[in-house]
Each structure stands twice: as C-alpha cells, then as structure tokens.
C-alpha cells in the first residue's frame, strides 16, 4: 500500500465547476499536511497547508480528518488557470524521519472552457 | 530575489558519463533535498542534507552522490552506475510555510536525458 494515495484522474471539468480531490495516508506518524500544485514540466509549488480546523484561501479549501487519515482539497468556481496536477504531501516527524516529505502521485485537473 | 536555482535546465548525457547537477539557494535554509520525478510517478527522495558537511541517503540513492561543502550549495552527481538516469531532477530546501509548519520549496528542476 502506498503511503500517500490519490486518484490520478484526470478530472475534466467545465469552467465554473466545483471539484474535490481526496487523499489518504497510511502512516500515523504523519504530522503536517500540504497541497502542492505542479504545472506541466515545472516544479511543484506550495498551494496551501492543511489543518484539522480547515484552511481556506480564496476559492480553495483544504480539510484534514486525522481519525480517517484523509485529506481533501475543494476548488470552487474553477478557472482555466487551475489546470494542473495537485500533489498531496505529508510530512513525517520523529528522529528516524527527519522531517521527510511523502508525495502522492498527484491528481490531474483539466478545466475546459 | 531569494530563491532556489538549478542548472542546467536541460542536460543530455551519453551512457557511461558522470554528470553534476547544480543547486544553489540564497534563502539561508539549513536543509536541502534532491528528488527525481518520472512520468506518472511521485517524487522520490535521492539524498538530503540537514546541515553543512552532512548528508544522508534517501530512498533511491544508488548511482548518485552529493556533497554539502557550503550552506548555499548542494550539487548532485549522477554516476554511470545509475541504471536509468533519464528523469526530471528537483532540488528543494526546507523553510517555513505558515503557523510554524516547515515544508519544502523547489527549484525549477533539471531535465536529464541519457542518449
């Protein structure tokens, strides 16, 4: 079983749609959670952190459910510019992990006009 | 501007050659990382360094070597022992996100192709 699992998609949605991505993680030592965005042939860029209390940044909302080991990202009013691959990222703590990041394979979003 | 730079952007290598990928950061970050990304796969950790003159193997270190002589620099050498070196190589350094959380920030990457 992969440590961080995402539905690879692609998710094809029309402009203005609301789309949700899910991610599950297996390591209970996971302590910090993030969503990154990666455009085609570019580096990943931090989109937002994820907290148990939720985190909202404009059209983007991230949620964490520690009991279920589940992370989500909701994008409202999708724009063409939202087309990218979204990476779910988990940071492990502990002396043996040294803050290692575990990356999901990514979920591809294609927003159509 | 502060940031992470990688060079070259594209690199072509003949089989049997060693090549060195450059990574420099002026963010004053202590920890630096090297990943490779293959099509359809997630990022895999090659090597990381928590501090100058110290580094540890990641999950796929075989066929690679690194050095960390300066805080700003963390070069990666892809040796001829690496069996499948064609990939997108990403360097990162660790910095603060928000609310005291630390995460990693990436350079623009080097795309290596072995001919």
């Amino acid at each position: 079983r992969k440590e961080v699992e995402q539905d690879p998609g692609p998710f094809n949605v029309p402009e203005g749609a609301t789309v949700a991505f899910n991610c599950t993680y297996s390591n209970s030592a996971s302590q910090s959670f993030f969503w990154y965005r990666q455009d085609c042939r570019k580096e990943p860029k931090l989109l937002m952190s994820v907290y148990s209390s939720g985190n909202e940044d404009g059209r983007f909302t991230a949620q964490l459910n520690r009991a279920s080991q589940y992370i989500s990202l909701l994008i409202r009013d999708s724009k063409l510019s939202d087309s990218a691959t979204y990476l779910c990222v988990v940071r492990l703590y502990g002396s043996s992990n040294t803050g290692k990041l575990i990356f999901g394979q990514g979920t591809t979003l294609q927003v159509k006009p | 501007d502060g940031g992470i730079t990688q060079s070259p952007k594209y690199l072509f290598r003949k089989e049997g050659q060693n090549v060195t990928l450059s990574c420099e950061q002026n963010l004053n970050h202590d920890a630096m990382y090297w990943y490779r990304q293959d099509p359809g796969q997630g990022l895999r950790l090659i090597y990381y360094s928590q501090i100058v003159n110290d580094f540890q193997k990641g999950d796929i270190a075989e066929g690679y070597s690194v050095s960390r002589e300066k805080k700003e620099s963390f070069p990666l050498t892809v040796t001829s022992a690496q069996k499948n070196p064609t990939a997108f190589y990403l360097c990162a350094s660790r910095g603060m996100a928000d609310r005291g959380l630390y995460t990693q920030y990436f350079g623009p990457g080097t795309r290596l192709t072995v001919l």
Side-chain angles (χ1 to χ4, degrees):
Chain A
R1 182 185 174 188
K2 293 176 184 170
E3 290 190 84
V4 178
E5 293 206 54
Q6 297 181 248
D7 180 347
F11 284 60
N12 295 302
V13 303
E15 269 188 293
T18 295
V19 61
F21 304 141
N22 303 320
C23 169
T24 57
Y25 61 95
S26 60
N27 194 322
S28 59
S30 304
Q31 293 294 330
S32 300
F33 308 89
F34 307 92
W35 284 100
Y36 278 68
R37 171 193 169 127
Q38 186 173 23
D39 291 289
C40 188
R41 300 179 71 83
K42 299 285 189 179
E43 74 274 24
K45 293 184 178 178
L46 178 65
L47 179 66
M48 59 198 306
S49 306
V50 189
Y51 308 109
S52 298
S53 57
N55 189 13
E56 185 172 323
D57 183 4
R59 297 180 293 108
F60 298 81
T61 300
Q63 295 277 359
L64 166 65
N65 184 322
R66 286 189 185 271
S68 302
Q69 297 187 186
Y70 171 94
I71 304 159
S72 65
L73 177 68
L74 183 75
I75 305 176
R76 292 180 297 278
D77 189 22
S78 299
K79 311 291 185 191
L80 295 176
S81 58
D82 293 334
S83 298
T85 296
Y86 291 83
L87 305 177
C88 176
V89 181
V90 170
R91 185 178 178 212
L92 305 178
Y93 284 139
S95 59
S96 63
N97 295 318
T98 59
K100 181 179 175 180
L101 290 186
I102 309 296
F103 290 81
Q105 287 187 299
T107 298
T108 299
L109 172 65
Q110 186 68 44
V111 182
K112 305 284 189 182
Chain B
D1 286 350
I4 305 172
T5 57
Q6 291 186 242
S7 62
K9 188 173 181 178
Y10 299 97
L11 186 58
F12 297 90
R13 190 195 89 175
K14 292 182 181 178
E15 280 193 32
Q17 288 181 335
N18 291 355
V19 290
T20 297
L21 282 55
S22 168
C23 177
E24 304 278 331
Q25 54 99 1
N26 61 3
L27 300 167
N28 200 35
H29 289 167
D30 287 313
M32 297 184 74
Y33 307 79
W34 273 105
Y35 296 87
R36 70 175 275 168
Q37 187 176 36
D38 296 278
Q41 294 196 38
L43 277 70
R44 292 184 290 168
L45 182 63
I46 303 172
Y47 266 100
Y48 63 100
S49 169
Q50 300 278 77
I51 199 167
V52 174
N53 293 322
D54 185 55
F55 50 82
Q56 285 83 40
K57 293 181 179 180
D59 301 316
I60 55 164
E62 185 176 350
Y64 300 97
S65 65
V66 294
S67 63
R68 187 82 187 278
E69 296 175 3
K70 298 187 301 182
K71 187 175 187 177
E72 301 80 17
S73 179
F74 190 39
L76 173 74
T77 297
V78 184
T79 76
S80 57
Q82 168 50 232
K83 293 187 180 359
N84 187 20
T86 295
F88 187 37
Y89 289 88
L90 289 156
C91 178
S93 66
R94 186 174 70 205
M96 191 170 290
D98 52 280
R99 299 193 196 179
L101 295 180
Y102 280 89
T103 189
Q104 293 173 23
Y105 296 90
F106 288 86
T110 292
R111 204 164 288 275
L112 173 64
T113 302
V114 174
L115 305 172

